[in-house]
Amino acid sequence: MQNHYFSKLRVNLSNLESFFIGRNSLQLFLILIPIVALIQFSLLNIILKYGFTADEWLLLFDFNTIGSSGDFLERVFAIFRAKGIYTSYQVLYIGILAGLFKDNYQAYQLTNIIFKILAILSLFPLIAVVFKRRLLAFLTTIFYALSYSSTGALQFVVKGSDYLAIFFMNIYLLTHYYSLKKKSKSFLFFTAIMLFLSFMFSPIRIYPLLFFVVIFEVFVWTRAKGFLGLWSAFFRLAVILSPFIMLMLLLPKATGSYLEGPLVIYKLLTYGNYQLLLSPFAGLGYTFLTNDYWPLFGQIILDSFKEYFFFLLRGPIIFYSALTVLIGFLITKRPIFFILGVILANVIFEITCYFLINNVRLSSGPNIKGFYLTTIYAIFFGFFCLSIGFASLIVWLKHKQNILLLSLLAGPFFSSIFLWGTWLIIGDSLTFKEGIHWYLIIPPIGSSLFLASLMVLGFDRIKKVTNSYLKWVLITFLFLTLLPMYQMGSKEISTTFSYLLSIGYGASDQELMKGQVEGFIKEPFEGKPALFYLDTSENNSVDPLFYPVTLISGFDKKMHFRNWDIVKGCIGLILDKTILEKSMVMEEGVKGFKVRSLCIEDNFFTSNDEIFYKLENFYALKFIGKDVSDNTKRVLDDLKY
């Protein structure tokens, strides 16, 4: 029976290979590999200069202390129980990489870039199979490779697992589609594994996909209808979601930490924070254009409705109307209703935004959330793309011929599922003010499909031109539009990551400062207490600003590492001089400080006890830019110690 199952699975795998990799598709895919790799390494070479953020050190500390006395599997379960599903994957990810690379920071970044390349390339077979257009699949893959928004996870080493999640997500979508088309029940188990792996590599990013699975199966059932169709949909859902059900039963406390999110959003909306409803639209808009281009739409004025309406007339209404006309003639031979419908929907939405934004804009209080004015442009663009998608669906329903009209909706709709799904659980803090953000790495997939669909529609129109010379000129011009996309992405990536490097995220700067700190330590303090007072009061006076948050945040945890191994003992940390003064005590005639400290004992048991520190175990360090100086004597003199 078991042999029969595996032989059947091998047949399915063989069929799957021929299903999405025909000879021409395989050749195109092989061409894509060096192109995508070249784009990524040319855009992301700046990432190779990165070190660790504060998050990496904190999570690496957890990996080395939680369940460290057992074997690897025991440690995994201990970490899941202690940190929950939404943090454990990052603890394990950084722990495994640190075991391989130690202080070779470039290797961490290279690993994440390679995972990103895999995620990008996995798009090609998915789009080729679902929409039956190799050119659409090729261009979607290229657009996603060019996307600046897709680089957001690279701001943190631990978020590199998000790209593995995207890779397995695309494989899941492909196999789910295949199992439906071929009515293969045995392949559903493989589908379930792919979805579960995707979720486990990045639960907070992928969980909206679970809603998509349910919506998709409901859609399939409405097409099949009847009890048999309902039973088939229920069976598929039961198989695909079975790993998640088991996980919730085994670790109920580890899987429900974000369940209060919708309630938080509801409460904020009852206080009038209606502007929060616009955040997902802003996220979608930012995957298309950066802040550099929004001034072309005119200056936003919200002081009165009259001035706001004139702003719309001078900028957004003109721009989106012209773009609608162009797309309308690209999509259909009779675009009048398409054009009028899209323009009307956008004008109504833009007017509605004024009232949603202004409801609490000038108010203040603990229950009032702020609003970034510049996001209005991105909100308009996001809604515009969705309106084009739904209008294209209406056109497709009349004739059901050109599948590209469906892809125009599928792209923004796919992006919106992840944006709204994420907003539902963290909408109180999900605000977008620029194009690179770790919550924007999946939505660009939909944006890339949308742009690729428009380009293929244009390509199909150009093919009908009878003049061969003119045809090739137009095709060349069409594909040359990829160059501005590359330049826009390159500039945004360079600007964002150069800024982060300049304020303390570079590996060389971190190692330089770490070396200075360790140089002031009198002796190895394994088993001995050490108290650190870090003075950053003069750091804001440095020009350009350099604040080593990656070193200061979680400093006590970092100091427990020696040669990437955990050192036992107690380490105290004080960042405020007032707190330092309050900690001054005398015990048994000995002056010192009593501070709640991070202690590691036998079997790496951690505690947060109050520890008495003698003066010889006290270190006062002053941070000014990239320079660290020993300020111990001066601080003790000021304290009259």
Side-chain angles (χ1 to χ4, degrees):
M1 184 69 180
Q2 190 176 19
N3 292 334
H4 172 72
Y5 171 77
F6 282 111
S7 63
K8 191 173 182 181
L9 184 59
R10 281 194 294 270
V11 171
N12 282 328
L13 286 169
S14 177
N15 291 339
L16 180 64
E17 182 180 4
S18 61
F19 185 63
F20 75 86
I21 301 185
R23 185 174 179 181
N24 293 334
S25 294
L26 179 58
Q27 291 173 349
L28 197 57
F29 182 74
L30 292 175
I31 292 171
L32 258 181
I33 294 174
I35 294 175
V36 168
L38 181 63
I39 291 173
Q40 294 311 288
F41 284 109
S42 65
L43 289 176
L44 303 175
N45 63 86
I46 191 172
I47 305 295
L48 300 178
K49 301 176 183 178
Y50 258 53
F52 276 6
T53 67
D55 289 31
E56 271 79 63
W57 285 111
L58 299 177
L59 294 167
L60 186 57
F61 179 85
D62 289 336
F63 179 82
N64 282 275
T65 55
I66 298 174
S68 56
S69 58
D71 59 27
F72 183 75
L73 281 178
E74 289 176 341
R75 177 183 290 192
V76 169
F77 281 108
I79 290 171
F80 268 94
R81 284 192 295 268
K83 307 302 295 184
I85 193 172
Y86 299 104
T87 304
S88 295
Y89 74 100
Q90 293 183 337
V91 174
L92 293 168
Y93 186 74
I94 191 64
I96 292 170
L97 290 187
L100 295 171
F101 304 134
K102 304 294 184 185
D103 60 350
N104 185 357
Y105 295 104
Q106 196 173 83
Y108 294 88
Q109 309 301 341
L110 278 170
T111 300
N112 284 345
I113 291 173
I114 290 171
F115 288 158
K116 186 174 187 291
I117 290 172
L118 288 175
I120 294 168
L121 291 172
S122 65
L123 263 180
F124 179 82
L126 174 63
I127 303 300
V129 167
V130 174
F131 295 101
K132 308 297 189 296
R133 289 292 300 266
R134 289 192 297 271
L135 180 59
L136 179 68
F138 183 87
L139 289 173
T140 301
T141 307
I142 293 295
F143 275 121
Y144 189 53
L146 295 173
S147 170
Y148 50 86
S149 294
S150 68
T151 65
L154 296 175
Q155 294 179 73
F156 302 84
V157 171
V158 292
K159 295 187 189 300
S161 66
D162 291 359
Y163 297 115
L164 284 175
I166 293 173
F167 172 79
F168 285 113
M169 176 190 74
N170 289 337
I171 302 302
Y172 153 72
L173 292 171
L174 178 63
T175 55
H176 193 169
Y177 179 83
Y178 171 81
S179 66
L180 281 172
K181 293 291 288 184
K182 299 299 182 181
K183 298 180 180 179
S184 171
K185 292 182 180 179
S186 60
F187 214 75
L188 274 177
F189 295 100
F190 182 73
T191 298
I193 293 171
M194 292 299 102
L195 179 59
F196 187 67
L197 283 174
S198 177
F199 181 82
M200 293 305 293
F201 275 110
S202 186
I204 197 67
R205 306 287 182 274
I206 296 297
Y207 106 90
L209 184 63
L210 302 182
F211 291 110
F212 176 81
V213 174
V214 176
I215 293 170
F216 182 70
E217 285 296 341
V218 170
F219 173 75
V220 172
W221 169 60
T222 58
R223 297 290 299 273
K225 298 180 181 180
F227 177 78
L228 186 60
L230 178 62
W231 169 251
S232 297
F234 178 79
F235 174 79
R236 284 193 299 271
L237 280 175
V239 173
I240 292 171
L241 299 179
S242 58
F244 301 95
I245 297 171
M246 291 177 62
L247 184 65
M248 292 178 68
L249 293 174
L250 290 172
L251 298 169
K253 293 182 179 179
T255 56
S257 59
Y258 281 94
L259 293 179
E260 72 278 5
L263 182 60
V264 173
I265 293 295
Y266 173 75
K267 288 182 177 179
L268 287 171
L269 291 176
T270 61
Y271 286 112
N273 293 279
Y274 303 137
Q275 76 280 3
L276 294 176
L277 294 167
L278 302 175
S279 292
F281 295 109
L284 180 58
Y286 268 123
T287 62
F288 288 95
L289 288 176
T290 67
N291 284 329
D292 294 336
Y293 295 88
W294 301 134
L296 298 174
F297 292 80
Q299 183 179 358
I300 302 169
I301 302 174
L302 287 171
D303 296 336
S304 70
F305 180 74
K306 179 181 177 181
E307 290 178 308
Y308 175 78
F309 190 69
F310 277 119
F311 151 69
L312 294 180
L313 288 175
R314 289 191 298 265
I317 290 178
I318 294 175
F319 176 83
Y320 291 119
S321 297
L323 200 55
T324 301
V325 171
L326 181 64
I327 295 174
F329 279 101
L330 191 64
I331 287 175
T332 177
K333 295 178 180 178
R334 298 178 181 177
I336 185 65
F337 291 109
F338 176 95
I339 292 171
L340 291 177
V342 171
I343 291 175
L344 181 62
N346 278 269
V347 171
I348 292 173
F349 176 78
E350 289 161 7
I351 291 173
T352 304
C353 284
Y354 174 82
F355 298 101
L356 295 177
I357 294 167
N358 267 349
N359 191 52
V360 294
R361 187 172 67 91
L362 302 178
S363 303
S364 60
N367 296 310
I368 302 300
K369 290 294 180 179
F371 180 79
Y372 295 104
L373 200 61
T374 188
T375 61
I376 291 178
Y377 301 111
I379 289 167
F380 289 173
F381 206 103
F383 181 83
F384 172 75
C385 294
L386 275 169
S387 65
I388 291 292
F390 280 104
S392 300
L393 173 65
I394 294 171
V395 174
W396 180 83
L397 288 173
K398 292 180 179 179
H399 306 290
K400 296 184 179 180
Q401 292 179 344
N402 194 344
I403 198 170
L404 291 173
L405 300 182
L406 278 182
S407 64
L408 281 174
L409 173 64
F413 183 72
F414 180 83
S415 300
S416 297
I417 284 175
F418 286 91
L419 288 165
W420 282 98
T422 306
W423 175 87
L424 191 63
I425 58 172
I426 57 167
D428 58 319
S429 58
L430 188 68
T431 53
F432 300 107
K433 57 179 179 178
E434 55 195 5
I436 295 180
H437 195 287
W438 47 92
Y439 282 119
L440 284 182
I441 65 166
I442 297 180
I445 293 176
S447 308
S448 300
L449 178 58
F450 181 84
L451 291 173
S453 300
L454 289 176
M455 184 171 280
V456 176
L457 282 167
F459 178 79
D460 290 345
R461 281 298 182 94
I462 292 172
K463 282 197 304 182
K464 297 178 182 178
V465 175
T466 55
N467 187 306
S468 299
Y469 177 76
L470 178 61
K471 181 191 297 184
W472 282 108
V473 168
L474 291 174
I475 289 175
T476 302
F477 179 77
L478 179 68
F479 286 101
L480 281 177
T481 56
L482 292 170
L483 292 179
M485 296 291 296
Y486 176 88
Q487 291 173 335
M488 178 172 64
S490 177
K491 182 182 179 183
E492 185 73 359
I493 292 168
S494 177
T495 301
T496 299
F497 289 96
S498 293
Y499 170 73
L500 292 174
L501 283 173
S502 71
I503 62 171
Y505 285 78
S508 59
D509 291 334
Q510 292 173 10
E511 287 298 297
L512 171 67
M513 298 187 73
K514 179 184 173 185
Q516 293 180 62
V517 170
E518 292 177 345
F520 296 124
I521 298 173
K522 303 180 186 73
E523 57 181 340
F525 48 78
E526 183 172 358
K528 299 178 182 179
L531 173 63
F532 291 89
Y533 166 61
L534 308 184
D535 181 6
T536 61
S537 58
E538 296 182 29
N539 225 55
N540 291 333
S541 62
V542 178
D543 188 27
L545 176 66
F546 182 90
Y547 190 84
V549 65
T550 55
L551 182 65
I552 294 169
S553 179
F555 182 87
D556 50 347
K557 290 183 171 64
K558 295 186 189 72
M559 295 309 293
H560 270 294
F561 282 94
R562 280 294 178 274
N563 297 321
W564 296 82
D565 291 323
I566 289 290
V567 176
K568 298 175 185 178
C570 294
I571 294 177
L573 175 64
I574 296 177
L575 300 175
D576 189 299
K577 193 169 185 179
T578 304
I579 297 175
L580 180 66
E581 291 170 349
K582 290 180 180 179
S583 68
M584 296 165 59
V585 294
M586 176 116 33
E587 284 194 359
E588 299 179 358
V590 179
K591 292 181 179 180
F593 304 90
K594 200 163 189 177
V595 178
R596 193 165 291 280
S597 307
L598 178 64
C599 299
I600 299 181
E601 303 169 14
D602 292 335
N603 296 321
F604 299 105
F605 174 76
T606 60
S607 61
N608 196 22
D609 301 327
E610 277 199 339
I611 303 296
F612 176 74
Y613 295 91
K614 297 178 182 179
L615 298 186
E616 58 263 31
N617 299 126
F618 173 72
Y619 301 89
L621 304 177
K622 192 175 187 66
F623 289 76
I624 302 178
K626 299 179 184 179
D627 296 321
V628 184
S629 58
D630 186 357
N631 208 28
T632 305
K633 186 177 184 306
R634 182 176 178 179
V635 170
L636 290 176
D637 289 343
D638 290 344
L639 296 173
K640 297 180 181 179
Y641 254 20

